[in-house]
């Protein structure tokens, strides 16, 4: 795996590239797994270290799939009472900018309306109220308070 250190708006990030296949890369940012889509696929001939990572990853047995958003720790309100829609079904609510999750105002199964404040995201020392973009039922929550998210990361889904 290839590791990089980045600083974005004064915040340090350690990015580890786990696997690259075409335009999809599986990366860990500060220990949180993400699946990202690149604008162009990486040319393996120009990046032999990544090609070796791809070969090693495809030859190694997969222990657990990497989620497309931060892995959530078990919460007291486990998604045992799922709504009729399958978990994760529906419209994804994505982070509009990088930041830290300060509060989650909904639970899986809650009904929300357009404009309801569902998440509070701290970015650049400001509290940003993230509103539901569509009405429906919360089908999954992919973040926890205290999690760092990158711009475009899926935080929850509304079905």
């Amino acid at each position: 795996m290839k590791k990089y250190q980045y600083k974005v708006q004064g915040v340090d990030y350690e990015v580890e590239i786990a696997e690259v296949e075409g335009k999809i890369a599986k990366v860990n940012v500060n220990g949180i797994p993400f699946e990202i889509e690149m604008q162009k696929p990486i040319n393996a001939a120009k990046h032999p270290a990544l090609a070796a990572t791809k070969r090693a990853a495809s030859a190694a047995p997969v222990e657990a799939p990497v989620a497309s958003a931060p892995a959530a720790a078990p919460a007291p309100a486990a998604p045992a009472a799922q709504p009729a829609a399958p978990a994760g079904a529906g419209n994804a609510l994505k982070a509009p900018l990088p930041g830290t999750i300060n509060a989650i105002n909904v639970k899986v199964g809650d009904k929300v309306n357009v404009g309801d404040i569902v998440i509070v995201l701290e970015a650049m020392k400001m509290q940003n109220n993230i509103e539901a973009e569509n009405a429906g039922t919360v089908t999954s929550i992919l973040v926890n308070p205290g999690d760092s998210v990158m711009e475009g990361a899926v935080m929850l889904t509304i079905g």
Side-chain angles (χ1 to χ4, degrees):
M1 284 193 228
K2 196 83 170 154
K3 290 186 181 183
Y4 298 93
Q5 294 288 331
Y6 291 100
K7 185 174 279 201
V8 179
Q9 295 180 341
V11 178
D12 290 322
Y13 294 94
E14 180 177 297
V15 179
E16 184 175 36
I17 300 175
E19 180 181 351
V20 177
E21 193 166 317
K23 292 175 110 180
I24 303 298
K26 293 182 180 181
V27 300
N28 292 313
V29 179
N30 290 348
I32 301 171
F34 290 93
E35 192 171 280
I36 60 170
E37 182 177 354
M38 298 178 287
Q39 294 293 327
K40 298 179 189 176
I42 291 179
N43 184 343
K46 291 183 180 179
H47 301 282
L50 294 178
T53 300
K54 180 180 174 183
R55 284 192 303 270
S58 62
V62 176
E63 292 179 18
V66 175
S68 61
Q82 287 291 330
N91 297 310
L93 180 64
K94 298 179 180 181
L97 66 168
T100 303
I101 304 297
N102 275 5
I104 301 172
N105 299 335
V106 294
K107 301 182 301 287
V108 172
D110 284 357
K111 298 215 180 293
V112 295
N113 295 311
V114 174
D116 287 353
I117 298 170
V118 293
I119 291 179
V120 178
L121 177 72
E122 180 181 331
M124 298 180 282
K125 298 185 182 182
M126 293 182 62
Q127 302 294 317
N128 298 279
N129 293 329
I130 309 301
E131 300 176 350
E133 296 171 349
N134 55 331
T137 303
V138 177
T139 58
S140 69
I141 299 174
L142 304 169
V143 294
N144 290 306
D147 285 354
S148 292
V149 294
M150 300 300 286
E151 180 178 352
V154 177
M155 298 184 293
L156 60 81
T157 54
I158 301 171

